[in-house]
Structures are given as structure tokens and as C-alpha cells.
Amino acid sequence: MAASSDSLSAATHHASTSTSRSGVGSVAVAVVVNVVVSTLVAFLIGRLAIALGVPAGTMQYQLPALLVIILLASVIGAAGWSIVRRRARHPRGLIRVLAPVVLVVSLVPDVLLGVGGVATWGAVAGLMVMHVAVAALTVTVFSRLLPLPHHHG
């Protein structure tokens, strides 16, 4: 896993030094890096869950579904991150509150899949692990590529 961390560090360093830290280009780079890294990790978590007995046909574990969901979430997340970055008086403090709240809210549909019998509880647990991993990766990638100021004003 150290090689992956080194690769992410190199990619984020290159991206952060080769683009404007506040422009659309840097946001696009952050989204692309996040989508690639998060999709890979989520896919591997899905493969592990399937190896542990989650039904292989679970739609949310399929690469096309993961890619679309992570792309949409990354674009929305980057938009929110950019707004907080530009407008919040204490952006770091606000992200420390918002990120866990968004993560908890993102788990609600997973629970509803289990309660509704649409997915097994094993599949739900795997999806929840994916959400936590992707949230952690997203905050890490955005923090490196779209750094938050300590405070405004």
C-alpha cells in the first residue's frame, strides 16, 4: 500500500504545482484524481465483499455504477468544497463538521437498501465501508489539491 500512497502523493504534488490553486483547472484535476483513486479503492472493497459472500450481482459493486456514483459525488463535493473554501469565515472548521455529517447522510440509503430487503446486510456493510473509504480519500485529495485557508476576514 505504500506504493499507492507514494503514487497519490506524487500525483497530488504534481497537480497542485502545475495548476492554479483556485481556478476551475485545479478543481477539475482534484475531481479526476479523486474519481480515479476512489473508484479503484471502492472497486477493491467491492471485490473483497464479494469474496466474503456478498452476491456478485449487487449493482452498486459493479464498476460502471461505482464510476458514475463517485463521479457525481466528486463533482458535488468539489462544488461544496470550493464554496466553503471561498466563502466560509473558518473553512477548516466548517469542513471538520460538514464532512462527517455528509458521510452519515450518505449511509442512510445503504441502510434503506437493507431495511427494504433490496440488498443483503452483508452488501449494506460493504457499501458502508466503501462510503467511509471514499469520504476519507475525498477529504485527503481535496485537502492536498484544493487546500483550505485557516480563516477568512
Side-chain angles (χ1 to χ4, degrees):
M1 198 62 151
S4 297
S5 177
D6 292 343
S7 297
L8 176 60
S9 293
T12 57
H13 174 73
H14 174 71
S16 67
T17 58
S18 65
T19 62
S20 163
R21 288 192 178 264
S22 62
V24 174
S26 62
V27 173
V29 168
V31 167
V32 169
V33 169
N34 189 62
V35 168
V36 169
V37 173
S38 293
T39 301
L40 175 63
V41 169
F43 183 74
L44 293 174
I45 291 168
R47 295 299 71 131
L48 177 60
I50 290 167
L52 294 173
V54 169
T58 303
M59 182 191 72
Q60 295 86 345
Y61 284 40
Q62 305 306 312
L63 190 55
L66 286 172
L67 186 58
V68 169
I69 292 166
I70 291 171
L71 175 61
L72 290 173
S74 294
V75 168
I76 292 166
W81 189 278
S82 295
I83 291 168
V84 166
R85 192 172 167 214
R86 280 193 315 270
R87 307 251 172 146
R89 178 161 280 222
H90 300 285
R92 290 179 181 209
L94 184 55
I95 288 294
R96 281 189 199 107
V97 172
L98 285 177
V101 168
V102 170
L103 173 60
V104 169
V105 170
S106 79
L107 300 175
V108 171
D110 298 342
V111 172
L112 293 176
L113 289 172
V115 169
V118 176
T120 66
W121 285 106
V124 169
L127 291 171
M128 290 177 152
V129 170
M130 281 183 193
H131 279 125
V132 171
V134 169
L137 287 166
T138 300
V139 169
T140 300
V141 169
F142 288 178
S143 292
R144 289 184 182 196
L145 297 181
L146 305 170
L148 297 168
H150 289 284
H151 56 81
H152 288 292

